[in-house]
Amino acid sequence: MLARIRTCESGVAMSIDGGPRTVVVVGAGVVGLSTAWFLQERGVDVTVVDRDGVASGASWGNAGWLSPGLAIPLNEPGVLRYGLRSLLDRDAPLHVPVTPDVGLWTFLTTFALRCNWKDWGRAVRANLPFNEECLEAFDVLTSNGVEAPTHDAPIMAAFQTTRQAVALLHELRRINDSGLEIKYAALEGDDLYAQAPQLSRTAKAGIRLDGQRYVDPGAFTHALAGAVTERGAAIRSGFRVTGVSEDRGGLTVWSDTGESVTADAVVVATGAWLNQLAKEWGVRVPVRAGRGYSFTVPTDQPVPGPIYLPAVRVACTPYQGKLRVAGTMEFCDADAPLYQRRVDAIIASAKPLLSGVSWEERTDTWVGPRPVTPDGRPLIGATHVPGIYVAGGHGMWGLTHGPATGRMLAEQITTGKQPAALREFDPTR
């Protein structure tokens, strides 16, 4: 039901429950656009601005998984052990280039300190409501004007040895112990190859995660943008935000060319660039770019569903009749150029486990910055400045959790009450 509107004593038009009538959303990725859509659902007029355009960041080239079963916080203790072993290997899936960036090394030190079972368990429990509601939030969107399909399919995790599979089994059991029920089954031999024909005979063990989905992430984000504009919002590309000022008429968002747009409230959903604006509003948790790479390759046989290669951190997804291959976690500047060596490393690590893939015919080579926090918890909610909110820091799970984030944040903005599920994600913590 749309919110009713009244004018408050200051002269600013507000919804009857005290929320804003107009909102500027900074960022046209899946998180920002989901927030815009759910704000519109509550009767708010929205303007979306982005420095480049719709799905120009991490929302285009990711694996497209809607995977509550694998939306596991990054600060799992095994990641620290793996990272220390691979730190000097330039071709390892986890890569930190040699850099004098003190901020990056401070972030990585904080992240390392958070790689323990206590902090990981806290992040798992905090993310539980998002994992429980993420698929429903997608259904709300696709049932109400977002014309992009979601595909039901299990995710097949494959390993070269049964011993490698044990680590994921332990993680899944810990997730189930936290309260989220994940259905999975261990497979070997012909049962494994029958369900994932792209796997080579090098893969000796597998774990099938049921109840998962996938989408074409770029197509979905553009469809979401189309639905937002169909409802009356303006999306302004080429609008590089430099700051937000408080005026009598509300909050004014400024671009580097002197353009401006004023509204009652502002949501900043700029992914890996979140800290550039949010620091001055009391957001102290650092957000760094953990860049991921992807490309598309033809296959000899149709791909029935997503394939996950945990040992080499590679995710594969059916994509426009081919296979999208995504991987690596590269900590460097969000705007750094694509490094071909990282693409070559993904191919070298995935090739032994996959067959019938035409690696030399790859297209759509891409790099995008995933926004990572050191404690495995995103930043969602109000800042220290009244009327300014942020949404970001989801790491690898911005697509999976994007619509649920937008839904909960829209509730907080329009009612003034923080949903219980957002308490652990307070951006000023």
Side-chain angles (χ1 to χ4, degrees):
M1 182 176 67
L2 296 182
R4 289 175 290 168
I5 304 299
R6 66 176 173 84
T7 301
C8 66
E9 292 180 357
S10 65
V12 177
M14 309 289 281
S15 63
I16 199 166
D17 55 14
R21 179 182 179 183
T22 56
V23 174
V24 175
V25 176
V26 184
V30 69
V31 174
L33 290 169
S34 294
T35 305
W37 193 94
F38 282 104
L39 283 169
Q40 290 175 312
E41 191 75 354
R42 290 172 169 269
V44 178
D45 292 330
V46 179
T47 300
V48 180
V49 300
D50 193 279
R51 69 173 199 165
D52 296 312
V54 174
S56 58
S59 292
W60 185 84
N62 64 76
W65 292 1
L66 312 184
S67 49
L70 283 175
I72 299 171
L74 188 61
N75 59 321
E76 192 269 328
V79 170
L80 177 60
R81 294 191 295 271
Y82 178 86
L84 292 174
R85 290 197 306 268
S86 63
L87 190 60
L88 300 179
D89 182 358
R90 295 178 63 188
D91 295 329
L94 179 60
H95 180 56
V96 183
V98 177
T99 173
D101 185 346
V102 175
L104 175 58
W105 291 111
T106 300
F107 169 87
L108 292 174
T109 300
T110 305
F111 174 77
L113 293 173
R114 296 286 191 172
C115 285
N116 59 73
W117 289 121
K118 180 180 178 181
D119 285 311
W120 184 82
R122 181 177 181 178
V124 167
R125 291 188 295 274
N127 279 286
L128 181 60
F130 282 73
N131 285 333
E132 290 176 332
E133 297 185 21
C134 66
L135 298 182
E136 180 194 352
F138 272 91
D139 289 340
V140 170
L141 293 175
T142 57
S143 297
N144 293 279
V146 179
E147 297 181 356
T150 66
H151 305 280
D152 293 301
I155 294 175
M156 178 60 67
F159 307 85
Q160 289 184 312
T161 67
T162 54
R163 183 177 179 180
Q164 289 178 338
V166 170
L168 180 58
L169 286 172
H170 285 165
E171 280 195 346
L172 293 173
R173 288 167 187 157
R174 285 178 180 272
I175 294 290
N176 279 345
D177 289 342
S178 75
L180 177 68
E181 183 182 0
I182 303 171
K183 295 182 179 179
Y184 56 89
L187 299 173
E188 295 181 289
D190 291 340
D191 290 338
L192 175 61
Y193 308 129
Q195 297 202 29
Q198 278 69 39
L199 291 175
S200 73
R201 296 291 163 167
T202 303
K204 302 299 184 184
I207 300 172
R208 188 191 68 227
L209 285 87
D210 297 317
Q212 314 300 301
R213 301 186 197 175
Y214 68 92
V215 297
D216 177 334
F220 182 88
T221 307
H222 278 280
L224 180 54
V228 168
T229 56
E230 182 69 22
R231 289 170 153 215
I235 298 179
R236 298 171 62 175
S237 301
F239 195 108
R240 186 184 294 266
V241 176
T242 56
V244 179
S245 63
E246 298 180 72
D247 304 305
R248 282 194 69 178
L251 296 164
T252 299
V253 179
W254 295 93
S255 78
D256 59 352
T257 60
E259 295 178 89
S260 67
V261 56
T262 299
D264 303 326
V266 175
V267 176
V268 176
T270 52
W273 297 273
L274 188 67
N275 288 146
Q276 293 179 7
L277 291 171
K279 278 185 179 180
E280 63 182 281
W281 307 324
V283 180
R284 296 166 296 181
V285 177
V287 177
R288 299 293 303 207
R291 303 202 314 166
Y293 286 70
S294 71
F295 51 85
T296 303
V297 286
T299 59
D300 290 348
Q301 300 183 58
V303 185
I307 300 170
Y308 181 34
L309 308 176
V312 293
R313 270 62 173 181
V314 170
C316 306
T317 313
Y319 178 70
Q320 298 182 2
K322 300 180 181 180
L323 184 71
R324 170 169 281 180
V325 182
T328 206
M329 177 65 75
E330 178 186 54
F331 284 101
C332 67
D333 185 80
D335 293 309
L338 182 149
Y339 295 118
Q340 182 59 39
R341 182 164 184 160
R342 305 304 303 155
V343 176
D344 296 338
I346 294 173
I347 295 172
S349 63
K351 199 171 185 178
L353 284 158
L354 298 176
S355 64
V357 177
S358 301
W359 300 101
E360 68 283 356
E361 297 179 38
R362 64 183 177 275
T363 56
D364 296 333
T365 303
W366 172 91
V367 62
R370 297 168 297 197
V372 179
T373 63
D375 60 7
R377 289 178 283 147
L379 310 174
I380 308 166
T383 70
H384 284 165
V385 178
I388 299 182
Y389 303 81
V390 298
H394 294 80
M396 298 179 293
W397 307 112
L399 178 67
T400 296
H401 289 165
T405 295
R407 191 183 198 179
M408 294 182 193
L409 184 56
E411 178 184 343
Q412 180 176 358
I413 293 169
T414 55
T415 67
K417 299 177 182 179
Q418 183 186 52
L422 294 186
R423 289 172 188 163
E424 285 285 342
F425 304 137
D426 189 331
T428 61
R429 61 181 182 267

